[in-house]
Amino acid sequence: MKGLTMFKNMMVSIALTLVSGSLLANEVAIAIHGGAGTITRANLSDEKAAEIIATLEEAVTTGHKALKDGEPSVKAIQKAIIILEDSPLFNAGRGAVFNYAGGHDLDASIMDGSTLQAGAIAGVSNIKNPILLAFDVMTQSKHVMLSGKGAENFAQSLGYEFVPQTYFATEFRRSAWERAMSKQQKDTQARLVDLDIDYKFGTVGAVALDKNGNLAAGTSTGGMTAKRWGRIGDSPVIGAGTYANNDSCAVSATGHGEFFIRYNVAADICARMEYGNKPLKQAANEVIFDELLPAKGMGGVIAIDNKGNVAMPFNTEGMYRASVDTKGTVTVAIYGL
Amino acid sequence: MKGLTMFKNMMVSIALTLVSGSLLANEVAIAIHGGAGTITRANLSDEKAAEIIATLEEAVTTGHKALKDGEPSVKAIQKAIIILEDSPLFNAGRGAVFNYAGGHDLDASIMDGSTLQAGAIAGVSNIKNPILLAFDVMTQSKHVMLSGKGAENFAQSLGYEFVPQTYFATEFRRSAWERAMSKQQKDTQARLVDLDIDYKFGTVGAVALDKNGNLAAGTSTGGMTAKRWGRIGDSPVIGAGTYANNDSCAVSATGHGEFFIRYNVAADICARMEYGNKPLKQAANEVIFDELLPAKGMGGVIAIDNKGNVAMPFNTEGMYRASVDTKGTVTVAIYGL
């Protein structure tokens, strides 16, 4: 009997070692997006599609390498997002859409699922990489959300270098702005004019699971073409455009921001997992297809749970997206399946 | 047998009439708050307590009368909140705290639980009743959240009259600002200085259920004394400071806003009801006592469900609060029980 007990204890010990070993070598995973909208093969040239795919792949593999090197998810997602902010192909950082006044207002947010710490900035005009400033709001201030000139004064206090507004400008976004302005000026009820949904798209974001099992999410955007009145969309709103909680999942959203705020999209996916015991994919699909779509709230999300499962649902024709799963499989896609 | 069937049908018909009668005459209920914090009998004079109680009672009974008169909840809560904004006793509208520069930035939000429509403004300086502008953002624009000068330009386009900053100033808030500024100036790490929690309190809000069974929530605040960098707290963040959904509940929060954003407080209470099948009181208590309190996130909420149940939990010494329940019972309270 004593021998049997010892044997049992040994087995328990081996089992525990296996469990803790698997925890230490937690598999990593990452997903990114570059916006959702009316993206079809008919309106995207092969050349531009190839550029977009190459940039998405560079961003997702850079983030994935950081995770494999043992960096925390909250750092890895910044590395991925910076590549998308620096590319003129996406509506974030360089390539951001023009606001009503012909300038650029940038929004970003980030959240650490291990601490529920978060940082966000809304309406900054001269910060090259808004996601870095959102991270500094989280780590270098007692606040979560800073806005406008005040947020730039905060950046200045940290020694940020400012870029001129011309840095963000691209011809592609300028012509979209000209079309939007002409449409708004024709409309006598300008307060209520509903722009084509594609004027609102192109936001970037990333979610990741690191070796320590920690989740993080981040989002960055130039907002909506020809936006005015200091409009704030979902991207800098924690709970709407970005949410991360190790107990459930990490989410970054892209789409018609007003709907994503009203439906509390990012946090709602986490809540359906945590309180409704839904698997990630089902929770994300319910919000995108059963809640947003009937309300005509167009867009999509990237989401990752604490096992490294990835979901990337969208209710538009396409969403620029990429992921590297726990097995190391790289996926890069534009159109719906 | 035929006689029995007729009798049965008659009984069913009477029962249906009773049910539909009770649906038509849905009982109404309302709850309001005027902020939470270190409110004890020792640091509040009997005279000031009496003034506060009288104003809370006026606000809650005004809102309740609107509901009894058949007005929608989204209108009734505005009537209650305007009384609190107009009173110098609360940190909203007149009586708002001073920001770092010695001025006032006001935030407000509102949500209609029957449509999930929402409106919010952040950082306006010259709007007498921010809750009215939040309502107009919801109903007169395609946006949910407007900020700063842009939000005031929107107000101007609607014909709003502007009040000077001196309208908001009170001696009580000026001396709190002077204490806060002297504390910040002594601190070399001003970016990270953590002010006394009481500098952050005094937000007002209301939640209600109307005769049609529709829920609504609204919140209005001057934010945090000596705030800078365009800091946005939880009050104008849909999901954090304010949320309403007929399927679950309506919530308005008050407290240390950064925590209320990170914990997605208002929407989380609704999610625990909707997906976790928790009753209102339990859902609200879990968030205030099991999530926020261990994280040192101080404050409270008022919440109402679609049956008219009211919960008003807080983890501070006191919370200015009042309610009229479905039976018409009026409650006005300041301290903990």
Side-chain angles (χ1 to χ4, degrees):
Chain A
M1 278 301 281
K2 205 177 172 185
L4 185 61
T5 305
M6 269 179 67
F7 175 75
K8 274 187 186 163
N9 285 347
M10 219 167 71
M11 284 294 103
V12 167
S13 166
I14 289 167
L16 282 173
T17 307
L18 286 172
V19 168
S20 99
S22 90
L23 281 175
L24 283 172
N26 197 66
E27 289 303 334
V28 304
I30 184 167
I32 65 169
H33 68 79
T38 311
I39 308 167
T40 62
R41 285 178 181 81
N43 62 20
L44 187 66
S45 71
D46 287 353
E47 195 189 346
K48 190 151 182 188
E51 281 181 63
I52 287 166
I53 284 175
T55 311
L56 289 170
E57 188 166 347
E58 184 194 349
V60 82
T61 53
T62 301
H64 186 252
K65 183 182 180 305
L67 294 168
K68 290 297 263 186
D69 290 348
E71 291 192 54
S73 50
V74 77
K75 285 285 181 187
I77 59 168
Q78 289 175 68
K79 289 191 170 177
I81 289 171
I82 285 168
I83 289 170
L84 302 173
E85 284 180 338
D86 289 348
S87 160
L89 297 167
F90 306 97
N91 174 19
R94 192 167 161 230
V97 299
F98 287 69
N99 63 21
Y100 191 80
H104 307 272
D105 298 320
L106 310 168
D107 304 331
S109 67
I110 195 165
M111 186 157 184
D112 181 338
S114 67
T115 58
L116 301 188
Q117 292 283 352
I121 50 163
V124 297
S125 304
N126 300 92
I127 304 296
K128 183 169 177 268
N129 291 111
I131 196 69
L132 292 180
L133 185 55
F135 180 75
D136 281 338
V137 170
M138 174 166 90
T139 52
Q140 306 289 318
S141 88
K142 284 284 179 190
H143 302 305
V144 168
M145 192 173 190
L146 301 181
S147 64
K149 279 288 153 215
E152 298 199 327
N153 293 342
F154 171 71
Q156 204 159 28
S157 80
L158 294 175
Y160 269 68
E161 277 181 42
F162 284 30
V163 293
Q165 287 261 294
T166 50
Y167 167 78
F168 303 108
T170 53
E171 270 319 300
F172 173 68
R173 300 295 184 185
R174 186 186 303 276
S175 65
W177 171 69
E178 281 163 0
R179 287 196 305 277
M181 292 299 286
S182 121
K183 187 170 173 183
Q184 282 207 11
Q185 277 153 10
K186 275 186 215 141
D187 196 304
T188 51
Q189 286 278 311
R191 281 195 300 275
L192 282 164
V193 70
D194 206 6
L195 293 171
D196 292 346
I197 52 171
D198 287 311
Y199 290 127
K200 295 161 187 164
F201 292 144
T203 298
V204 309
V207 295
L209 172 70
D210 66 25
K211 282 191 176 172
N212 290 317
N214 291 325
L215 293 170
T219 310
S220 179
T221 191
M224 172 180 161
T225 300
K227 67 183 175 183
R228 62 195 297 200
W229 299 318
R231 178 255 188 190
I232 296 177
D234 63 317
S235 301
V237 175
I238 297 299
T242 301
Y243 207 73
N245 185 337
N246 277 6
D247 291 342
S248 48
C249 64
V251 180
S252 169
T254 174
H256 191 152
E258 279 70 12
F259 287 89
F260 283 65
I261 295 176
R262 292 168 48 207
Y263 284 82
N264 197 236
V265 166
D268 190 26
I269 293 171
C270 297
R272 284 167 195 255
M273 285 192 71
E274 189 168 354
Y275 310 133
N277 297 312
K278 304 277 173 71
L280 177 79
K281 192 173 177 176
Q282 187 184 347
N285 282 348
E286 283 178 4
V287 174
I288 296 300
F289 298 108
D290 303 343
E291 301 289 341
L292 288 172
L293 186 57
K296 300 200 174 79
M298 308 309 285
V301 295
I302 49 169
I304 189 168
D305 69 15
N306 54 21
K307 305 281 184 292
N309 297 306
V310 168
M312 303 193 282
F314 52 96
N315 59 29
T316 47
E317 281 85 348
M319 179 168 82
Y320 301 135
R321 62 199 187 277
S323 63
V324 185
D325 68 14
T326 51
K327 295 182 179 67
T329 310
V330 181
T331 304
V332 186
I334 294 182
Y335 311 108
L337 300 178
Chain B
M1 278 297 280
K2 205 176 171 186
L4 186 61
T5 305
M6 270 179 68
F7 175 76
K8 273 186 186 165
N9 285 347
M10 218 168 73
M11 284 293 102
V12 168
S13 166
I14 289 168
L16 282 172
T17 307
L18 286 172
V19 168
S20 99
S22 90
L23 281 174
L24 283 172
N26 198 65
E27 290 302 334
V28 304
I30 184 169
I32 64 168
H33 68 78
T38 312
I39 309 167
T40 61
R41 284 177 182 81
N43 62 19
L44 187 67
S45 71
D46 287 351
E47 194 188 348
K48 190 153 184 188
E51 280 181 65
I52 287 166
I53 283 175
T55 312
L56 289 170
E57 188 166 346
E58 185 195 348
V60 82
T61 53
T62 301
H64 185 253
K65 183 181 179 307
L67 295 168
K68 289 297 260 185
D69 290 348
E71 291 192 55
S73 50
V74 77
K75 285 285 182 186
I77 59 168
Q78 288 176 69
K79 290 192 169 176
I81 289 171
I82 285 169
I83 289 170
L84 302 173
E85 284 180 338
D86 289 349
S87 161
L89 296 167
F90 306 97
N91 174 20
R94 191 167 162 231
V97 299
F98 287 69
N99 64 20
Y100 191 82
H104 307 272
D105 298 320
L106 309 168
D107 304 330
S109 67
I110 196 164
M111 187 157 184
D112 182 337
S114 67
T115 58
L116 301 190
Q117 293 282 353
I121 48 163
V124 297
S125 304
N126 300 93
I127 304 296
K128 183 170 177 266
N129 291 110
I131 195 69
L132 292 180
L133 185 54
F135 179 75
D136 281 337
V137 170
M138 174 166 90
T139 53
Q140 306 289 319
S141 88
K142 285 283 180 191
H143 302 304
V144 168
M145 191 172 191
L146 301 181
S147 64
K149 279 288 154 214
E152 299 199 328
N153 293 343
F154 171 72
Q156 205 159 29
S157 80
L158 294 174
Y160 269 68
E161 278 181 42
F162 284 31
V163 294
Q165 287 260 295
T166 49
Y167 167 79
F168 302 108
T170 53
E171 269 320 299
F172 173 67
R173 299 294 184 187
R174 186 187 303 277
S175 64
W177 171 69
E178 281 162 0
R179 288 196 306 276
M181 291 299 286
S182 120
K183 188 171 171 182
Q184 282 206 10
Q185 277 153 13
K186 275 186 213 140
D187 196 305
T188 50
Q189 286 280 311
R191 279 195 303 272
L192 283 163
V193 71
D194 205 6
L195 293 170
D196 292 346
I197 52 170
D198 287 313
Y199 289 128
K200 296 163 188 166
F201 292 143
T203 299
V204 309
V207 294
L209 172 70
D210 66 25
K211 282 190 175 172
N212 290 315
N214 291 326
L215 294 170
T219 310
S220 179
T221 191
M224 172 180 161
T225 300
K227 67 182 174 183
R228 62 194 298 200
W229 300 317
R231 178 255 189 190
I232 297 177
D234 63 317
S235 301
V237 175
I238 298 299
T242 301
Y243 208 72
N245 185 337
N246 277 6
D247 292 341
S248 49
C249 63
V251 180
S252 169
T254 174
H256 191 154
E258 278 71 12
F259 287 90
F260 283 65
I261 296 176
R262 292 167 48 207
Y263 284 81
N264 197 234
V265 166
D268 190 27
I269 293 171
C270 297
R272 284 167 194 256
M273 285 191 73
E274 191 169 352
Y275 310 133
N277 296 312
K278 304 279 174 70
L280 179 78
K281 191 172 178 177
Q282 188 185 347
N285 282 348
E286 283 178 4
V287 174
I288 296 301
F289 298 109
D290 303 343
E291 300 289 340
L292 288 171
L293 186 57
K296 300 200 172 81
M298 309 309 285
V301 295
I302 50 169
I304 190 167
D305 69 15
N306 54 21
K307 305 280 183 293
N309 296 306
V310 168
M312 304 193 282
F314 52 95
N315 60 29
T316 48
E317 281 86 347
M319 179 167 83
Y320 301 136
R321 63 201 186 278
S323 63
V324 185
D325 68 15
T326 51
K327 294 183 180 66
T329 310
V330 182
T331 305
V332 186
I334 293 182
Y335 311 109
L337 299 177

